[in-house]
Amino acid sequence: MTTLLTIMAAILVFGVVVLVHEWGHFRAARRCGVHVEEFAIGFGPAIWKHTGKDGTLYSVRLLPLGGYNAMSGYTEEGDAESQPPVKKPKDAPVLPDAIDGKTYPEASAGQRFFIIASGALMNFVLGFVLLVILVCMQDAITSKIIYGFSDGALSQQTGLQAEDEILAVNGHYCFTANDIVYELQRTENYTADFTVMRDGEITRVPGVQFATRTDENGNTTMVLDFTVYGIAKSPKTVIRAAFNNFMYYARVILRSFIDLATGRVGLNELSGPVGIVSAIGTAVSYGLADVLSLAALITVNLGIFNLLPVPGLDGCKLIFIAIEGVSGHAVPEKVQAAVNGAGIVLLLMLMLFVTFQDVTRIF
């Protein structure tokens, strides 16, 4: 039964995240008057398809690991077929109301930028909505104001006080209580510099120390020896908490990519689809709140990942479009095709590598 629930939850999470991303591209293209020949969820053979009155083929395909919008005149490698963009009058609206069926290359640089960026934007919207739901399910909202300390708390002895509102740890602003925990996990020697709001003034508290504990396997962890206040829920506090949680997720994801690029973490710590399904299975065993939290993390992660300036991703395509918009000249199609094609190959190799790792971890 648990396996069935995991499979159903994984399909639902992946399906919704991909659907929202591709729907963002689709609606933006329609808004800009670009005809979409096919709107597909998944890859491979079609298991369902229907041609709408708008002339778009809507399909669901066998492998639910992505999706695409086949826009007229659009190719993945170079973003545009070998036809020059049609010059628009200077007073032409950026986002026309009418759907006129033009091809992707005929859209202005601003319109194409909007189309490509809208996929990630919708992932962010979905993540925020999920976090609002998640906060509404909680009994109370966790603040960053210290309520009290455990007996003999080392952090209290080395500088923190009750009623301190923690603003930053080691120079990194903390949006949520989870931020505090995240930053403390990254500290060295179990010592951290705090910035707090104390008696209405911003106060720096350097060298705050924490005790440690060692488990039966010899693993040493920091002891968080203080608790924080809860905040009553209201529409205002729920929206604020959801926004702060969104910012926490976004920053953790960005710093994870930076850690990967700088060598702080290795490729062996990455997970692919198999690992994500395993994580969804664990979340299912804990309940709906954990599934929603993981779904929010996945959709925000997808949005940020797609905006990275990496060949083959939307972020690289946006850079090419931005260069065209600023210079007035498009990057040669052959250059775009070579860069994006190489990026897609490397991303596929990375996907195979992390999938192999996920499988070996399980078996």
Side-chain angles (χ1 to χ4, degrees):
M1 185 64 179
T2 301
T3 301
L4 179 60
L5 286 175
T6 297
I7 294 174
M8 293 176 60
I11 293 175
L12 181 62
V13 170
F14 278 122
V16 170
V17 169
V18 171
L19 175 63
V20 166
H21 182 89
E22 296 303 331
W23 186 80
H25 290 312
F26 175 76
R27 291 305 305 169
R30 293 286 299 273
R31 186 70 177 83
C32 293
V34 174
H35 176 63
V36 180
E37 295 178 357
E38 181 179 358
F39 176 86
I41 299 301
F43 295 105
I47 57 178
W48 175 86
K49 56 185 178 180
H50 170 73
T51 301
K53 294 181 180 180
D54 54 5
T56 298
L57 173 66
Y58 298 89
S59 65
V60 177
R61 298 183 174 270
L62 184 62
L63 302 175
L65 298 177
Y68 60 88
N69 282 274
M71 290 175 277
S72 296
Y74 178 93
T75 60
E76 280 294 326
E77 289 78 14
D79 281 0
E81 293 177 348
S82 299
Q83 51 180 301
V86 176
K87 293 185 178 180
K88 299 293 181 181
K90 293 183 178 180
D91 58 349
V94 175
L95 301 177
D97 289 327
I99 298 174
D100 55 21
K102 61 173 176 274
T103 64
Y104 179 80
E106 292 175 325
S108 68
Q111 290 174 329
R112 282 181 277 126
F113 192 97
F114 174 64
I115 292 169
I116 298 299
S118 291
L121 177 61
M122 287 308 301
N123 280 128
F124 296 151
V125 172
L126 173 61
F128 181 76
V129 171
L130 291 175
L131 289 171
V132 169
I133 296 172
L134 191 60
V135 173
C136 289
M137 293 173 60
Q138 299 172 351
D139 294 330
I141 300 169
T142 305
S143 74
K144 302 182 296 177
I145 303 173
I146 296 176
Y147 172 74
F149 296 86
S150 59
D151 293 338
L154 190 55
S155 66
Q156 185 180 27
Q157 297 174 21
T158 53
L160 293 181
Q161 299 179 12
E163 305 299 328
D164 281 348
E165 180 180 2
I166 299 172
L167 303 179
V169 177
N170 292 332
H172 297 285
Y173 181 79
C174 294
F175 292 96
T176 68
N178 286 333
D179 260 322
I180 300 171
V181 176
Y182 175 75
E183 295 299 338
L184 290 177
Q185 289 175 339
R186 296 169 65 90
T187 60
E188 298 180 358
N189 302 320
Y190 309 105
T191 301
D193 297 331
F194 281 72
T195 303
V196 303
M197 181 69 72
R198 179 180 294 171
D199 298 327
E201 295 183 358
I202 296 177
T203 304
R204 188 171 179 271
V205 187
V208 176
Q209 300 175 24
F210 290 85
T212 61
R213 68 165 60 96
T214 303
D215 61 22
E216 62 275 7
N217 297 320
N219 299 316
T220 302
T221 57
M222 177 186 290
V223 176
L224 190 62
D225 53 14
F226 62 83
T227 57
V228 295
Y229 282 98
I231 301 173
K233 288 190 296 185
S234 69
K236 181 178 179 180
T237 58
V238 166
I239 295 298
R240 181 183 298 168
F243 174 79
N244 287 335
N245 279 305
F246 179 92
M247 296 302 295
Y248 161 69
Y249 279 179
R251 188 169 66 177
V252 168
I253 292 166
L254 281 172
R255 291 180 69 181
S256 296
F257 287 131
I258 293 172
D259 287 345
L260 183 64
T262 58
R264 184 182 176 110
V265 299
L267 288 175
N268 60 324
E269 297 184 50
L270 293 178
S271 286
V274 175
I276 295 174
V277 171
S278 177
I280 292 174
T282 301
V284 167
S285 67
Y286 285 107
L288 179 59
D290 286 83
V291 174
L292 289 177
S293 179
L294 183 57
L297 179 63
I298 290 172
T299 189
V300 174
N301 182 79
L302 178 61
I304 292 176
F305 181 71
N306 264 280
L307 292 180
L308 293 178
V310 175
L313 298 179
D314 289 347
C316 186
K317 299 171 186 177
L318 292 175
I319 290 177
F320 286 140
I321 297 172
I323 292 173
E324 178 186 345
V326 172
S327 66
H329 301 283
V331 176
E333 184 182 336
K334 290 184 178 180
V335 173
Q336 294 190 50
V339 171
N340 284 323
I344 290 172
V345 171
L346 291 175
L347 289 172
L348 287 175
M349 292 174 61
L350 178 62
M351 179 68 72
L352 290 174
F353 174 75
V354 297
T355 300
F356 176 77
Q357 285 193 139
D358 290 340
V359 173
T360 55
R361 288 192 192 108
I362 294 173
F363 298 101

